[in-house]
Short mmCIF file of all heavy atoms in Angstrom, two decimals:
data_model
loop_
_atom_site.label_atom_id
_atom_site.label_comp_id
_atom_site.label_asym_id
_atom_site.label_seq_id
_atom_site.Cartn_x
_atom_site.Cartn_y
_atom_site.Cartn_z
N SER A 35 1.29 46.52 7.41
CA SER A 35 -0.02 45.84 7.45
C SER A 35 -0.55 45.61 6.04
O SER A 35 -1.07 44.54 5.72
CB SER A 35 -1.00 46.68 8.25
OG SER A 35 -2.28 46.09 8.25
N ALA A 101 -3.98 14.79 -16.89
CA ALA A 101 -3.83 15.02 -15.45
C ALA A 101 -2.43 15.57 -15.15
O ALA A 101 -2.27 16.48 -14.33
CB ALA A 101 -4.07 13.74 -14.67
N ARG A 117 1.99 2.41 -15.36
CA ARG A 117 1.37 1.08 -15.49
C ARG A 117 0.90 0.82 -16.92
O ARG A 117 1.04 -0.29 -17.44
CB ARG A 117 0.19 0.95 -14.52
CG ARG A 117 0.60 0.66 -13.09
CD ARG A 117 -0.62 0.51 -12.22
NE ARG A 117 -1.44 -0.62 -12.61
CZ ARG A 117 -1.27 -1.86 -12.15
NH1 ARG A 117 -0.31 -2.12 -11.30
NH2 ARG A 117 -2.07 -2.83 -12.54
N LEU A 136 7.63 5.49 -13.34
CA LEU A 136 7.49 4.71 -12.11
C LEU A 136 8.53 5.15 -11.08
O LEU A 136 8.21 5.33 -9.90
CB LEU A 136 7.64 3.22 -12.41
CG LEU A 136 7.41 2.27 -11.23
CD1 LEU A 136 5.99 2.40 -10.70
CD2 LEU A 136 7.70 0.83 -11.63
N GLY A 143 7.17 9.85 -3.60
CA GLY A 143 6.47 9.40 -2.41
C GLY A 143 5.19 8.62 -2.62
O GLY A 143 4.48 8.35 -1.64
N HIS A 163 23.02 -5.23 -4.98
CA HIS A 163 22.67 -3.82 -5.16
C HIS A 163 21.17 -3.65 -5.43
O HIS A 163 20.51 -2.82 -4.82
CB HIS A 163 23.49 -3.23 -6.30
CG HIS A 163 23.25 -1.77 -6.51
ND1 HIS A 163 23.52 -0.82 -5.54
CD2 HIS A 163 22.74 -1.08 -7.57
CE1 HIS A 163 23.19 0.38 -5.99
NE2 HIS A 163 22.73 0.25 -7.22
N VAL A 246 6.38 2.90 28.75
CA VAL A 246 5.97 1.68 29.45
C VAL A 246 5.56 0.64 28.43
O VAL A 246 4.66 0.86 27.64
CB VAL A 246 4.78 1.97 30.40
CG1 VAL A 246 4.36 0.71 31.12
CG2 VAL A 246 5.17 3.06 31.40
N ASN A 272 -10.58 -13.25 9.28
CA ASN A 272 -10.39 -12.12 8.36
C ASN A 272 -10.17 -12.61 6.94
O ASN A 272 -10.74 -12.09 5.99
CB ASN A 272 -9.19 -11.26 8.80
CG ASN A 272 -9.49 -10.42 10.03
OD1 ASN A 272 -10.64 -10.21 10.38
ND2 ASN A 272 -8.44 -9.93 10.67
N GLU A 291 -9.84 -29.64 15.85
CA GLU A 291 -8.90 -29.84 16.94
C GLU A 291 -9.55 -29.57 18.29
O GLU A 291 -9.32 -30.30 19.27
CB GLU A 291 -7.68 -28.91 16.75
CG GLU A 291 -6.57 -29.13 17.74
CD GLU A 291 -5.90 -30.48 17.63
OE1 GLU A 291 -6.08 -31.14 16.57
OE2 GLU A 291 -5.22 -30.90 18.59
#
Side-chain angles (χ1 to χ4, degrees):
S35 177
R117 281 182 63 89
L136 184 62
H163 183 62
V246 180
N272 286 343
E291 186 65 18

